[in-house]
Amino acid sequence: MGSVFDSGVTAKAFIDEIKMEVDAAPDIYDATYYRFIDECEQLLYSEIIRETLIFTPVGESAPGFLSFEYIETTGDKVRYEDIYAVYAGDVQLVRATPAGIRTFPDSYSRIGETLYIKSENKAEINIYFYVRPKLKTRPGGENDTIKLPIEWLPIIGAKVRGEAYKLVNEDYAAAKWLADYNALIEQFKQYIAARAEKLGV
C-alpha cells in the first residue's frame, strides 16, 4: 500500500524470527501469528496513525448508493467505520442513521453493505477515510511488509509474543510482553502526535 510507513520487513520473515524465540511456536499455527499482526497493525492505523485518503465517486454513483467495494484505496477494503467525513463541494454532510437520513437533506449513512449519500448539492462528492494496510491473513499477505517504521517493529513484536504466550497459558511471560506492548503504544502515540503535521496523517 502507499503508506507513510514501511518497515521493509515481511510478515513471514518477522514471524519466522519470533518463532525461533517463542518456546510455544510449534503449538501455534502461522495463520494465528499473522492474525496477531493484523490485529495490532489495524488498530495502530485506525486509532493512532489515521493516514487519510480521499475518494471522489463519479457518474451515477454520487450521490446515491455506493458499494464499499467501489471505493478505491491503496490499503484494505474500506469499511463504514473508516469514513470520517463526506463533502458535497464545500458542504460537509451529516453522518446519520438509516432512519435519520430521511430527516437531513445533506447526509450519509450505511445501508446494508452500501454507503448511501443524500445531497441536493450538485457539487463534486469527496469521501474522506482512514486507510488501513491490507490484511496479512489474506492469501499471499504473509509476503507483505509490516507498515510501521522499522524502529517501531517492537510494538508488534511485543503484541505477538504476548498473545502467543497467552495461548499456551504462560501467564507470566504473556503479562511481561503485553505490558511492554502497552508502554510502547503510549510512546508511539507521542511519536505520531509530534510528526502528524509533517507526515500528513
Side-chain angles (χ1 to χ4, degrees):
M1 67 174 280
S3 172
V4 290
F5 297 132
D6 193 330
S7 68
V9 177
T10 67
K12 184 179 187 309
F14 190 71
I15 291 306
D16 285 348
E17 182 176 338
I18 285 180
K19 284 168 62 178
M20 293 175 64
E21 304 170 19
V22 179
D23 295 338
D27 300 321
I28 301 175
Y29 293 115
D30 285 1
T32 303
Y33 280 112
Y34 296 133
R35 177 169 57 82
F36 293 153
I37 292 177
D38 281 341
E39 289 170 358
C40 187
E41 198 176 45
Q42 298 287 305
L43 177 67
L44 290 172
Y45 270 79
S46 294
E47 301 300 324
I48 301 174
I49 297 172
R50 294 195 159 193
E51 180 184 352
T52 60
L53 286 180
I54 304 171
F55 176 70
T56 303
V58 295
E60 297 179 359
S61 60
F65 289 96
L66 177 66
S67 168
F68 289 105
E69 297 281 356
Y70 181 73
I71 301 176
E72 295 174 3
T73 176
T74 56
D76 196 36
K77 173 185 171 185
V78 176
R79 309 170 301 190
Y80 184 66
E81 294 76 16
D82 298 325
I83 297 170
Y84 71 91
V86 178
Y87 281 82
D90 59 358
V91 176
Q92 184 172 3
L93 308 188
V94 175
R95 191 184 190 102
T97 64
I101 203 168
R102 301 174 184 173
T103 305
F104 302 103
D106 291 298
S107 57
Y108 70 96
S109 183
R110 174 175 54 195
I111 298 180
E113 292 302 311
T114 61
L115 175 67
Y116 181 65
I117 301 171
K118 177 184 175 185
S119 178
E120 297 176 2
N121 191 329
K122 301 302 181 184
E124 182 176 80
I125 298 289
N126 286 305
I127 300 168
Y128 294 75
F129 62 92
Y130 298 122
V131 65
R132 295 171 293 105
K134 293 180 180 178
L135 297 174
K136 306 297 186 283
T137 45
R138 78 186 199 286
E142 68 276 8
N143 296 315
D144 286 356
T145 53
I146 296 175
K147 305 305 181 184
L148 285 180
I150 194 164
E151 65 269 28
W152 288 103
L153 279 181
I155 294 178
I156 291 184
K159 174 69 171 175
V160 170
R161 290 178 178 92
E163 295 296 340
Y165 280 120
K166 273 175 62 178
L167 279 182
V168 294
N169 298 314
E170 294 283 349
D171 294 339
Y172 177 80
K176 171 187 176 296
W177 282 111
L178 293 176
D180 284 354
Y181 166 73
N182 289 329
L184 287 167
I185 283 287
E186 293 306 313
Q187 295 171 28
F188 188 64
K189 287 178 181 177
Q190 296 174 25
Y191 171 87
I192 291 297
R195 291 160 176 76
E197 186 173 335
K198 294 178 183 178
L199 294 172
V201 299

